[in-house]
Coordinates of all heavy atoms in Angstrom, one line a residue:
A1 N -6.5 -0.5 -12.0 CA -7.3 -0.6 -13.1 C -6.6 0.0 -14.3 O -5.9 1.0 -14.2 CB -8.6 0.2 -12.8
F2 N -6.9 -0.5 -15.5 CA -6.3 0.0 -16.7 C -7.1 1.2 -17.2 O -8.3 1.2 -17.2 CB -6.4 -1.1 -17.8 CG -5.5 -2.2 -17.7 CD1 -5.7 -3.3 -16.9 CD2 -4.2 -2.1 -18.3 CE1 -4.8 -4.4 -16.8 CE2 -3.3 -3.1 -18.2 CZ -3.6 -4.2 -17.4
T3 N -6.3 2.2 -17.5 CA -7.0 3.4 -18.0 C -7.0 3.4 -19.5 O -7.8 4.0 -20.2 CB -6.2 4.7 -17.6 OG1 -4.8 4.5 -18.0 CG2 -6.3 4.9 -16.1
Y4 N -6.2 2.5 -20.1 CA -6.1 2.3 -21.5 C -6.2 0.8 -21.8 O -5.4 0.1 -21.3 CB -4.8 2.9 -22.1 CG -4.5 2.4 -23.4 CD1 -5.1 2.9 -24.6 CD2 -3.6 1.4 -23.6 CE1 -4.8 2.4 -25.8 CE2 -3.2 0.9 -24.9 CZ -3.9 1.4 -26.0 OH -3.6 1.0 -27.2
L5 N -7.1 0.4 -22.6 CA -7.2 -1.0 -23.1 C -6.8 -1.0 -24.5 O -7.3 -0.3 -25.4 CB -8.6 -1.5 -22.9 CG -9.1 -1.8 -21.5 CD1 -10.5 -2.3 -21.6 CD2 -8.2 -2.8 -20.8
P6 N -5.8 -1.9 -24.9 CA -5.5 -2.1 -26.3 C -6.8 -2.4 -27.1 O -7.7 -3.0 -26.6 CB -4.5 -3.3 -26.3 CG -4.0 -3.3 -25.0 CD -5.1 -2.8 -24.1
E7 N -6.8 -2.0 -28.3 CA -8.0 -2.1 -29.2 C -8.5 -3.5 -29.2 O -7.7 -4.5 -29.4 CB -7.6 -1.7 -30.6 CG -8.8 -1.6 -31.5 CD -8.4 -1.1 -32.9 OE1 -7.5 -0.4 -33.0 OE2 -9.1 -1.5 -33.9
G8 N -9.8 -3.7 -28.9 CA -10.4 -5.0 -29.0 C -10.3 -5.9 -27.7 O -10.9 -6.9 -27.6
V9 N -9.5 -5.4 -26.7 CA -9.4 -6.2 -25.5 C -10.4 -5.8 -24.5 O -10.5 -4.6 -24.2 CB -7.9 -6.1 -24.9 CG1 -7.8 -6.9 -23.6 CG2 -6.9 -6.5 -25.9
K10 N -11.2 -6.7 -24.0 CA -12.3 -6.4 -23.1 C -11.9 -6.5 -21.7 O -10.9 -7.2 -21.3 CB -13.4 -7.4 -23.4 CG -14.0 -7.3 -24.8 CD -15.1 -8.4 -25.0 CE -15.6 -8.4 -26.4 NZ -14.7 -8.9 -27.4
H11 N -12.7 -5.9 -20.8 CA -12.3 -5.9 -19.4 C -12.3 -7.3 -18.8 O -11.4 -7.6 -17.9 CB -13.3 -5.1 -18.6 CG -13.1 -3.6 -18.7 ND1 -12.1 -2.9 -18.0 CD2 -13.7 -2.7 -19.6 CE1 -12.1 -1.7 -18.4 NE2 -13.0 -1.5 -19.3
D12 N -13.1 -8.2 -19.2 CA -13.1 -9.6 -18.7 C -11.8 -10.3 -19.1 O -11.3 -11.1 -18.4 CB -14.3 -10.4 -19.1 CG -14.6 -10.6 -20.5 OD1 -14.1 -9.7 -21.3 OD2 -15.2 -11.5 -20.9
E13 N -11.3 -10.0 -20.3 CA -10.0 -10.5 -20.8 C -8.9 -10.0 -19.9 O -7.9 -10.7 -19.6 CB -9.8 -10.2 -22.2 CG -10.8 -10.9 -23.2 CD -10.7 -10.4 -24.6 OE1 -10.7 -9.2 -24.8 OE2 -10.5 -11.3 -25.5
I14 N -9.0 -8.7 -19.5 CA -8.0 -8.1 -18.7 C -8.0 -8.9 -17.3 O -6.9 -9.1 -16.8 CB -8.2 -6.6 -18.5 CG1 -8.0 -5.9 -19.8 CG2 -7.4 -6.0 -17.3 CD1 -6.5 -5.9 -20.3
E15 N -9.1 -9.2 -16.8 CA -9.2 -10.0 -15.5 C -8.5 -11.3 -15.6 O -7.7 -11.7 -14.7 CB -10.7 -10.2 -15.1 CG -11.3 -9.1 -14.4 CD -10.6 -8.7 -13.2 OE1 -10.4 -9.5 -12.3 OE2 -10.3 -7.5 -13.0
L16 N -8.6 -12.0 -16.8 CA -7.9 -13.3 -17.0 C -6.4 -13.0 -17.0 O -5.7 -13.8 -16.4 CB -8.4 -13.9 -18.3 CG -9.8 -14.5 -18.3 CD1 -10.1 -14.9 -19.7 CD2 -9.9 -15.7 -17.4
I17 N -6.0 -12.0 -17.7 CA -4.6 -11.7 -17.8 C -4.0 -11.3 -16.4 O -3.0 -11.8 -16.0 CB -4.3 -10.6 -18.8 CG1 -4.7 -11.1 -20.2 CG2 -2.9 -10.0 -18.7 CD1 -4.8 -10.0 -21.3
K18 N -4.8 -10.5 -15.7 CA -4.4 -10.1 -14.3 C -4.2 -11.3 -13.4 O -3.2 -11.4 -12.7 CB -5.4 -9.2 -13.7 CG -5.1 -8.7 -12.3 CD -6.1 -7.8 -11.8 CE -7.1 -8.6 -11.1 NZ -8.2 -7.9 -10.3
N19 N -5.1 -12.2 -13.5 CA -5.0 -13.5 -12.7 C -3.8 -14.3 -13.0 O -3.1 -14.8 -12.1 CB -6.3 -14.3 -12.8 CG -7.5 -13.6 -12.1 OD1 -7.3 -12.8 -11.2 ND2 -8.7 -13.9 -12.5
K20 N -3.5 -14.4 -14.3 CA -2.3 -15.1 -14.8 C -1.0 -14.5 -14.2 O -0.1 -15.1 -13.8 CB -2.2 -15.2 -16.3 CG -3.1 -16.2 -16.9 CD -3.0 -16.3 -18.4 CE -3.9 -17.3 -19.0 NZ -3.7 -17.3 -20.5
V21 N -1.0 -13.1 -14.3 CA 0.2 -12.4 -13.8 C 0.4 -12.6 -12.3 O 1.5 -12.8 -11.9 CB 0.0 -10.9 -14.2 CG1 1.1 -10.0 -13.5 CG2 0.1 -10.7 -15.7
L22 N -0.7 -12.4 -11.6 CA -0.6 -12.6 -10.1 C -0.2 -14.0 -9.7 O 0.4 -14.2 -8.7 CB -1.9 -12.1 -9.4 CG -2.2 -10.6 -9.6 CD1 -3.6 -10.3 -8.9 CD2 -1.1 -9.8 -9.0
E23 N -0.6 -15.0 -10.5 CA -0.2 -16.4 -10.2 C 1.3 -16.6 -10.3 O 1.8 -17.5 -9.6 CB -0.9 -17.3 -11.2 CG -2.4 -17.6 -10.9 CD -3.0 -18.3 -12.0 OE1 -2.3 -18.9 -12.9 OE2 -4.3 -18.4 -12.0
R24 N 2.0 -15.7 -11.0 CA 3.4 -15.8 -11.1 C 4.2 -15.3 -9.9 O 5.4 -15.4 -9.9 CB 3.9 -15.2 -12.4 CG 3.4 -15.9 -13.6 CD 4.2 -15.5 -14.8 NE 3.7 -16.2 -16.0 CZ 3.6 -15.7 -17.2 NH1 4.0 -14.5 -17.4 NH2 3.2 -16.5 -18.2
L25 N 3.5 -14.6 -9.0 CA 4.2 -14.1 -7.9 C 4.3 -15.2 -6.8 O 3.4 -16.1 -6.8 CB 3.4 -12.9 -7.2 CG 3.2 -11.6 -8.1 CD1 2.3 -10.7 -7.3 CD2 4.5 -11.0 -8.4
D26 N 5.4 -15.1 -6.0 CA 5.4 -16.1 -5.0 C 4.5 -15.7 -3.8 O 4.0 -14.6 -3.8 CB 6.9 -16.4 -4.5 CG 7.5 -15.2 -3.8 OD1 6.9 -14.5 -3.0 OD2 8.7 -15.0 -4.0
E27 N 4.2 -16.6 -2.9 CA 3.2 -16.3 -1.9 C 3.5 -15.1 -1.1 O 2.6 -14.3 -0.8 CB 3.1 -17.6 -1.0 CG 1.8 -17.6 -0.2 CD 0.6 -17.5 -1.1 OE1 0.5 -18.1 -2.2 OE2 -0.3 -16.8 -0.7
R28 N 4.8 -14.9 -0.7 CA 5.2 -13.7 0.1 C 4.9 -12.4 -0.7 O 4.4 -11.5 -0.1 CB 6.6 -13.8 0.5 CG 7.1 -12.7 1.4 CD 8.4 -12.9 2.1 NE 9.4 -12.8 1.1 CZ 10.7 -12.6 1.4 NH1 11.1 -12.6 2.7 NH2 11.6 -12.5 0.5
E29 N 5.3 -12.4 -2.0 CA 5.0 -11.2 -2.8 C 3.6 -10.9 -2.9 O 3.1 -9.8 -2.8 CB 5.6 -11.4 -4.2 CG 7.1 -11.5 -4.3 CD 7.6 -12.0 -5.6 OE1 7.0 -12.8 -6.3 OE2 8.7 -11.5 -6.0
K30 N 2.8 -12.0 -3.1 CA 1.3 -11.8 -3.3 C 0.7 -11.2 -2.0 O -0.1 -10.2 -2.1 CB 0.7 -13.2 -3.5 CG -0.2 -13.3 -4.7 CD -0.8 -14.6 -4.8 CE 0.1 -15.5 -5.7 NZ -0.5 -16.8 -6.1
V31 N 1.1 -11.7 -0.8 CA 0.5 -11.3 0.4 C 0.9 -9.8 0.7 O 0.1 -9.0 1.1 CB 1.0 -12.2 1.6 CG1 0.7 -11.5 2.9 CG2 0.4 -13.5 1.5
I32 N 2.2 -9.5 0.4 CA 2.6 -8.1 0.7 C 2.0 -7.1 -0.3 O 1.6 -6.0 0.0 CB 4.2 -8.0 0.6 CG1 4.6 -8.7 1.9 CG2 4.7 -6.6 0.6 CD1 6.1 -8.9 2.0
I33 N 1.9 -7.5 -1.6 CA 1.1 -6.7 -2.6 C -0.3 -6.5 -2.2 O -0.8 -5.3 -2.2 CB 1.2 -7.3 -4.0 CG1 2.6 -7.2 -4.6 CG2 0.1 -6.8 -4.9 CD1 3.0 -5.8 -5.2
E34 N -1.0 -7.5 -1.7 CA -2.4 -7.4 -1.3 C -2.5 -6.5 0.0 O -3.4 -5.6 0.0 CB -3.0 -8.8 -1.0 CG -3.2 -9.6 -2.2 CD -3.6 -11.0 -2.0 OE1 -3.6 -11.4 -0.8 OE2 -3.9 -11.7 -2.9
D35 N -1.5 -6.7 0.9 CA -1.6 -5.9 2.1 C -1.4 -4.4 1.8 O -2.2 -3.5 2.3 CB -0.4 -6.2 3.1 CG -0.7 -7.4 3.9 OD1 -1.9 -7.9 4.0 OD2 0.2 -7.9 4.6
Y36 N -0.5 -4.1 0.9 CA -0.2 -2.7 0.6 C -1.2 -2.1 -0.3 O -1.7 -1.0 -0.1 CB 1.2 -2.6 -0.1 CG 1.7 -1.2 -0.3 CD1 2.2 -0.5 0.8 CD2 1.7 -0.7 -1.6 CE1 2.6 0.8 0.6 CE2 2.2 0.6 -1.8 CZ 2.7 1.3 -0.7 OH 3.1 2.6 -0.9
Y37 N -1.6 -2.8 -1.4 CA -2.5 -2.1 -2.4 C -4.0 -2.4 -2.1 O -4.8 -1.5 -2.4 CB -2.1 -2.6 -3.8 CG -0.9 -2.0 -4.3 CD1 0.3 -2.7 -4.3 CD2 -0.8 -0.7 -4.7 CE1 1.5 -2.1 -4.7 CE2 0.4 -0.1 -5.2 CZ 1.5 -0.8 -5.1 OH 2.7 -0.3 -5.5
Q38 N -4.4 -3.6 -1.7 CA -5.8 -3.8 -1.5 C -6.2 -3.5 -0.1 O -7.4 -3.0 0.1 CB -6.1 -5.3 -1.8 CG -5.9 -5.6 -3.3 CD -6.1 -7.1 -3.6 OE1 -5.9 -8.0 -2.8 NE2 -6.4 -7.3 -4.9
R39 N -5.4 -3.7 0.9 CA -5.8 -3.5 2.3 C -5.3 -2.1 2.8 O -5.7 -1.7 3.8 CB -5.3 -4.6 3.2 CG -5.9 -5.9 2.9 CD -5.3 -7.0 3.8 NE -5.8 -8.3 3.3 CZ -5.1 -9.1 2.5 NH1 -3.8 -8.8 2.2 NH2 -5.6 -10.3 2.1
G40 N -4.5 -1.4 2.0 CA -4.0 -0.1 2.3 C -3.1 0.0 3.5 O -3.0 1.1 4.1
K41 N -2.4 -1.1 3.8 CA -1.5 -1.1 5.0 C -0.3 -0.3 4.7 O 0.2 -0.3 3.6 CB -1.2 -2.5 5.4 CG -2.4 -3.3 6.0 CD -1.9 -4.6 6.4 CE -3.1 -5.4 7.0 NZ -2.7 -6.8 7.4
K42 N 0.3 0.4 5.7 CA 1.5 1.1 5.6 C 2.7 0.1 5.6 O 2.5 -1.0 6.2 CB 1.7 2.1 6.7 CG 0.5 3.1 6.8 CD 1.0 4.4 6.3 CE -0.1 5.4 6.4 NZ -0.7 5.9 5.2
I43 N 3.8 0.5 5.0 CA 5.0 -0.4 5.0 C 5.4 -0.8 6.4 O 5.7 -1.9 6.7 CB 6.1 0.3 4.2 CG1 5.7 0.3 2.7 CG2 7.4 -0.4 4.4 CD1 6.6 1.0 1.8
K44 N 5.4 0.2 7.3 CA 5.8 -0.1 8.7 C 4.9 -1.2 9.3 O 5.4 -2.1 10.0 CB 5.7 1.2 9.5 CG 6.3 1.1 10.9 CD 6.3 2.5 11.5 CE 7.1 2.5 12.8 NZ 7.5 3.8 13.2
V45 N 3.6 -1.1 9.1 CA 2.7 -2.1 9.6 C 2.9 -3.5 9.0 O 3.0 -4.5 9.7 CB 1.2 -1.7 9.4 CG1 0.2 -2.8 9.7 CG2 0.9 -0.4 10.1
I46 N 3.1 -3.5 7.7 CA 3.4 -4.8 7.0 C 4.7 -5.4 7.6 O 4.7 -6.6 7.9 CB 3.5 -4.6 5.5 CG1 2.2 -4.1 4.9 CG2 4.0 -5.9 4.8 CD1 2.3 -3.6 3.5
A47 N 5.7 -4.6 7.7 CA 7.0 -5.0 8.3 C 6.8 -5.7 9.6 O 7.3 -6.8 9.9 CB 8.0 -3.9 8.3
T48 N 6.1 -5.0 10.5 CA 5.8 -5.5 11.9 C 5.0 -6.8 11.8 O 5.4 -7.8 12.5 CB 5.1 -4.4 12.7 OG1 5.9 -3.2 12.7 CG2 4.9 -4.9 14.1
E49 N 4.0 -6.8 11.1 CA 3.1 -8.0 11.0 C 3.8 -9.2 10.4 O 3.6 -10.4 10.8 CB 1.8 -7.7 10.2 CG 0.9 -6.8 10.9 CD -0.3 -6.5 10.0 OE1 -0.4 -6.9 8.8 OE2 -1.3 -5.9 10.5
R50 N 4.7 -9.0 9.4 CA 5.4 -10.1 8.7 C 6.8 -10.4 9.3 O 7.5 -11.2 8.7 CB 5.5 -9.7 7.2 CG 4.2 -9.4 6.6 CD 3.4 -10.6 6.2 NE 2.0 -10.2 5.8 CZ 1.0 -11.0 5.9 NH1 1.2 -12.2 6.4 NH2 -0.2 -10.6 5.6
N51 N 7.1 -9.6 10.3 CA 8.4 -9.8 11.0 C 9.6 -9.6 10.0 O 10.5 -10.4 9.9 CB 8.6 -11.2 11.6 CG 9.7 -11.2 12.7 OD1 10.1 -10.2 13.2 ND2 10.2 -12.4 12.9
L52 N 9.5 -8.5 9.2 CA 10.5 -8.1 8.2 C 10.9 -6.7 8.5 O 10.2 -5.9 9.2 CB 9.9 -8.1 6.8 CG 9.3 -9.5 6.3 CD1 8.5 -9.3 5.1 CD2 10.5 -10.4 6.0
S53 N 12.0 -6.3 7.9 CA 12.4 -4.9 8.0 C 11.6 -4.1 7.0 O 11.1 -4.6 6.0 CB 13.9 -4.7 7.8 OG 14.2 -5.0 6.4
E54 N 11.5 -2.8 7.3 CA 10.8 -1.9 6.3 C 11.6 -1.9 4.9 O 10.9 -1.9 3.9 CB 10.7 -0.5 6.8 CG 9.7 -0.4 8.0 CD 9.6 1.0 8.5 OE1 9.5 2.0 7.7 OE2 9.6 1.2 9.7
V55 N 12.9 -2.0 5.0 CA 13.7 -2.0 3.7 C 13.3 -3.3 3.0 O 13.2 -3.2 1.7 CB 15.2 -1.9 4.1 CG1 16.0 -2.2 2.8 CG2 15.5 -0.6 4.6
N56 N 13.2 -4.4 3.7 CA 12.9 -5.6 3.0 C 11.5 -5.6 2.4 O 11.3 -6.0 1.3 CB 13.0 -6.8 4.1 CG 13.1 -8.1 3.4 OD1 12.9 -8.4 2.3 ND2 13.6 -9.1 4.2
V57 N 10.5 -5.0 3.1 CA 9.2 -4.9 2.5 C 9.2 -4.0 1.2 O 8.6 -4.4 0.2 CB 8.2 -4.3 3.6 CG1 6.8 -3.9 2.9 CG2 8.0 -5.2 4.7
K58 N 9.9 -2.9 1.3 CA 10.1 -2.0 0.1 C 10.7 -2.7 -1.0 O 10.3 -2.6 -2.2 CB 10.9 -0.8 0.5 CG 10.2 0.2 1.4 CD 11.1 1.4 1.7 CE 10.4 2.3 2.7 NZ 11.3 3.4 3.1
Q59 N 11.7 -3.6 -0.7 CA 12.4 -4.3 -1.8 C 11.5 -5.4 -2.4 O 11.4 -5.5 -3.6 CB 13.6 -5.0 -1.2 CG 14.6 -5.6 -2.2 CD 15.8 -6.2 -1.5 OE1 15.7 -7.0 -0.5 NE2 16.9 -5.8 -2.0
I60 N 10.7 -6.0 -1.6 CA 9.7 -7.1 -2.0 C 8.7 -6.4 -2.9 O 8.4 -6.9 -4.0 CB 9.1 -7.8 -0.9 CG1 10.2 -8.7 -0.2 CG2 7.9 -8.7 -1.4 CD1 9.7 -9.2 1.2
L61 N 8.2 -5.2 -2.5 CA 7.2 -4.5 -3.3 C 7.8 -4.1 -4.6 O 7.1 -4.2 -5.7 CB 6.7 -3.2 -2.5 CG 5.7 -3.5 -1.4 CD1 5.5 -2.2 -0.6 CD2 4.3 -3.9 -2.0
F62 N 9.0 -3.5 -4.6 CA 9.7 -3.1 -5.8 C 9.8 -4.3 -6.8 O 9.4 -4.2 -8.0 CB 11.0 -2.5 -5.5 CG 11.8 -2.1 -6.8 CD1 11.5 -0.9 -7.4 CD2 12.8 -2.9 -7.3 CE1 12.2 -0.6 -8.6 CE2 13.5 -2.6 -8.4 CZ 13.2 -1.4 -9.1
R63 N 10.3 -5.4 -6.3 CA 10.6 -6.5 -7.2 C 9.3 -7.1 -7.7 O 9.2 -7.5 -8.9 CB 11.4 -7.6 -6.5 CG 12.8 -7.2 -6.3 CD 13.6 -8.3 -5.6 NE 15.0 -7.8 -5.5 CZ 15.8 -8.3 -4.6 NH1 15.4 -9.2 -3.7 NH2 17.1 -7.8 -4.5
A64 N 8.2 -7.2 -6.8 CA 6.9 -7.7 -7.2 C 6.3 -6.8 -8.3 O 5.8 -7.3 -9.3 CB 6.0 -7.8 -6.0
R65 N 6.4 -5.5 -8.1 CA 5.9 -4.5 -9.2 C 6.6 -4.7 -10.5 O 6.0 -4.7 -11.6 CB 6.0 -3.1 -8.7 CG 5.0 -2.7 -7.7 CD 5.0 -1.2 -7.4 NE 6.2 -0.7 -6.8 CZ 6.4 -0.4 -5.6 NH1 5.4 -0.5 -4.7 NH2 7.6 0.0 -5.1
E66 N 7.9 -4.9 -10.5 CA 8.7 -5.1 -11.7 C 8.2 -6.4 -12.4 O 8.1 -6.4 -13.6 CB 10.2 -5.1 -11.4 CG 10.7 -3.8 -11.0 CD 10.5 -2.7 -12.0 OE1 10.9 -2.8 -13.2 OE2 9.9 -1.6 -11.6
K67 N 8.1 -7.4 -11.6 CA 7.6 -8.7 -12.1 C 6.2 -8.6 -12.7 O 5.9 -9.1 -13.8 CB 7.6 -9.7 -10.9 CG 7.6 -11.2 -11.4 CD 7.5 -12.1 -10.2 CE 8.8 -12.4 -9.5 NZ 8.7 -13.5 -8.5
I68 N 5.3 -7.9 -12.0 CA 4.0 -7.6 -12.5 C 4.0 -6.9 -13.8 O 3.3 -7.3 -14.8 CB 3.1 -6.9 -11.5 CG1 2.8 -7.8 -10.3 CG2 1.8 -6.4 -12.1 CD1 2.2 -7.1 -9.1
K69 N 4.8 -5.8 -13.9 CA 4.9 -5.1 -15.2 C 5.4 -5.9 -16.3 O 4.8 -5.9 -17.4 CB 5.8 -3.8 -15.0 CG 5.2 -2.7 -14.3 CD 6.1 -1.5 -14.3 CE 6.5 -1.1 -12.9 NZ 7.5 0.0 -12.8
S70 N 6.4 -6.6 -16.1 CA 7.0 -7.4 -17.1 C 6.1 -8.5 -17.6 O 5.8 -8.7 -18.8 CB 8.3 -8.1 -16.6 OG 8.8 -9.0 -17.5
N71 N 5.5 -9.3 -16.6 CA 4.6 -10.3 -17.0 C 3.3 -9.8 -17.6 O 2.7 -10.5 -18.4 CB 4.3 -11.2 -15.8 CG 5.5 -12.1 -15.4 OD1 6.2 -12.5 -16.2 ND2 5.7 -12.3 -14.1
A72 N 2.8 -8.7 -17.2 CA 1.6 -8.1 -17.7 C 1.8 -7.8 -19.2 O 0.9 -8.1 -20.1 CB 1.2 -6.8 -17.0
K73 N 2.9 -7.2 -19.6 CA 3.2 -6.9 -21.0 C 3.3 -8.2 -21.8 O 2.7 -8.3 -22.9 CB 4.5 -6.2 -21.1 CG 4.5 -4.8 -20.7 CD 5.8 -4.1 -20.8 CE 5.8 -2.7 -20.2 NZ 7.1 -2.1 -20.1
K74 N 3.9 -9.2 -21.2 CA 4.1 -10.5 -22.0 C 2.7 -11.2 -22.2 O 2.4 -11.6 -23.2 CB 5.0 -11.5 -21.2 CG 6.4 -11.1 -21.2 CD 7.3 -12.1 -20.4 CE 8.7 -11.5 -20.1 NZ 9.4 -12.3 -19.1
E75 N 1.9 -11.2 -21.1 CA 0.6 -11.9 -21.2 C -0.3 -11.1 -22.1 O -1.1 -11.7 -22.9 CB -0.1 -11.9 -19.8 CG 0.4 -13.1 -18.9 CD 0.2 -14.4 -19.5 OE1 -0.8 -14.7 -20.2 OE2 1.1 -15.3 -19.3
L76 N -0.3 -9.8 -22.1 CA -1.1 -9.0 -22.9 C -0.7 -9.2 -24.4 O -1.6 -9.5 -25.3 CB -1.0 -7.5 -22.6 CG -2.0 -6.6 -23.3 CD1 -3.5 -7.0 -23.1 CD2 -1.8 -5.2 -22.8
N77 N 0.6 -9.2 -24.7 CA 1.0 -9.5 -26.0 C 0.7 -10.9 -26.5 O 0.2 -11.1 -27.6 CB 2.5 -9.2 -26.1 CG 2.9 -7.8 -26.1 OD1 2.1 -6.9 -26.4 ND2 4.1 -7.5 -25.6
R78 N 0.8 -11.8 -25.6 CA 0.5 -13.2 -25.9 C -1.0 -13.3 -26.3 O -1.4 -14.0 -27.2 CB 0.9 -14.1 -24.8 CG 0.7 -15.6 -25.1 CD 1.1 -16.5 -23.9 NE 2.5 -16.4 -23.7 CZ 3.1 -16.1 -22.5 NH1 2.3 -16.0 -21.4 NH2 4.4 -16.0 -22.3
H79 N -1.8 -12.7 -25.4 CA -3.3 -12.7 -25.6 C -3.7 -12.1 -27.0 O -4.5 -12.6 -27.7 CB -3.9 -12.0 -24.4 CG -5.4 -12.0 -24.5 ND1 -6.1 -13.1 -24.1 CD2 -6.4 -11.1 -24.9 CE1 -7.4 -12.9 -24.2 NE2 -7.6 -11.7 -24.7
I80 N -3.0 -10.9 -27.3 CA -3.4 -10.3 -28.5 C -2.9 -11.2 -29.7 O -3.7 -11.3 -30.7 CB -2.7 -8.9 -28.6 CG1 -3.4 -7.9 -27.6 CG2 -2.7 -8.3 -30.0 CD1 -2.7 -6.6 -27.3
E81 N -1.8 -11.8 -29.6 CA -1.3 -12.7 -30.7 C -2.3 -13.9 -30.9 O -2.6 -14.3 -32.0 CB 0.1 -13.2 -30.4 CG 1.2 -12.2 -30.6 CD 1.2 -11.5 -32.0 OE1 1.1 -12.3 -33.0 OE2 1.2 -10.3 -32.1
Q82 N -2.7 -14.4 -29.8 CA -3.7 -15.6 -29.8 C -5.0 -15.2 -30.5 O -5.6 -15.9 -31.2 CB -3.9 -16.1 -28.5 CG -2.8 -16.9 -27.9 CD -3.0 -17.4 -26.4 OE1 -4.0 -16.9 -25.8 NE2 -2.2 -18.3 -26.0
R83 N -5.4 -14.0 -30.2 CA -6.7 -13.5 -30.8 C -6.5 -13.3 -32.3 O -7.5 -13.5 -33.1 CB -7.1 -12.2 -30.2 CG -7.5 -12.3 -28.8 CD -7.8 -11.0 -28.1 NE -9.2 -10.8 -28.1 CZ -9.8 -9.7 -28.6 NH1 -9.1 -8.7 -29.0 NH2 -11.1 -9.6 -28.5
K84 N -5.3 -12.9 -32.8 CA -5.1 -12.7 -34.2 C -5.1 -14.1 -34.9 O -5.5 -14.1 -36.1 CB -3.7 -12.1 -34.5 CG -3.6 -10.6 -34.1 CD -2.2 -10.1 -34.4 CE -2.1 -8.7 -33.9 NZ -0.7 -8.2 -34.1
D85 N -4.7 -15.1 -34.3 CA -4.7 -16.5 -34.9 C -6.1 -17.0 -35.1 O -6.3 -18.0 -35.8 CB -3.8 -17.4 -34.0 CG -2.4 -17.0 -34.0 OD1 -2.0 -16.2 -34.9 OD2 -1.7 -17.5 -33.1
K86 N -7.0 -16.5 -34.4 CA -8.4 -17.1 -34.4 C -9.2 -16.5 -35.6 O -8.9 -15.5 -36.2 CB -9.2 -16.8 -33.1 CG -8.6 -17.6 -32.0 CD -9.4 -17.3 -30.7 CE -8.8 -18.2 -29.6 NZ -9.5 -18.0 -28.3

């Protein structure tokens, strides 16, 4: 959850942005992010269930988080710019 919302950006707009950002993850990244953050599974459990090494799971999580951060900033900036044009 966002602890800080840029001025004038509403929570429902953040939901739209969040969905756009998550759509940019590939299926494996999405599943592992959901397992780890939403289902609270440990890396060891994810690795076993997905037939991956723990190092691989950590690497996928790291890359997915970086992708999420980068895309979230882009989407938020794009959204703010679009609002200015209206």
Side-chain angles (χ1 to χ4, degrees):
F2 283 89
T3 53
Y4 162 78
L5 289 177
E7 190 176 329
V9 178
K10 298 177 182 72
H11 283 280
D12 59 335
E13 293 171 308
I14 291 295
E15 278 300 308
L16 290 172
I17 292 167
K18 181 181 89 173
N19 291 335
K20 283 183 182 180
V21 168
L22 293 177
E23 284 171 10
R24 291 198 179 143
L25 296 177
D26 67 39
E27 202 52 45
R28 183 167 74 162
E29 291 169 330
K30 233 182 266 190
V31 168
I32 290 175
I33 286 283
E34 288 171 356
D35 278 351
Y36 189 74
Y37 288 102
Q38 293 176 335
R39 296 180 189 98
K41 292 182 180 181
K42 304 259 184 244
I43 289 173
K44 188 174 193 164
V45 172
I46 297 168
T48 302
E49 288 178 354
R50 305 280 169 206
N51 199 24
L52 299 165
S53 70
E54 289 181 45
V55 170
N56 202 339
V57 171
K58 288 177 186 177
Q59 189 175 54
I60 292 166
L61 282 170
F62 175 79
R63 289 182 179 157
R65 283 191 295 258
E66 292 302 306
K67 201 185 277 190
I68 288 168
K69 283 187 241 177
S70 170
N71 288 326
K73 286 178 188 173
K74 287 178 193 169
E75 281 299 326
L76 189 55
N77 288 335
R78 185 178 297 131
H79 185 77
I80 290 168
E81 286 304 313
Q82 286 174 347
R83 294 174 97 230
K84 287 179 185 175
D85 294 342
K86 291 182 180 179

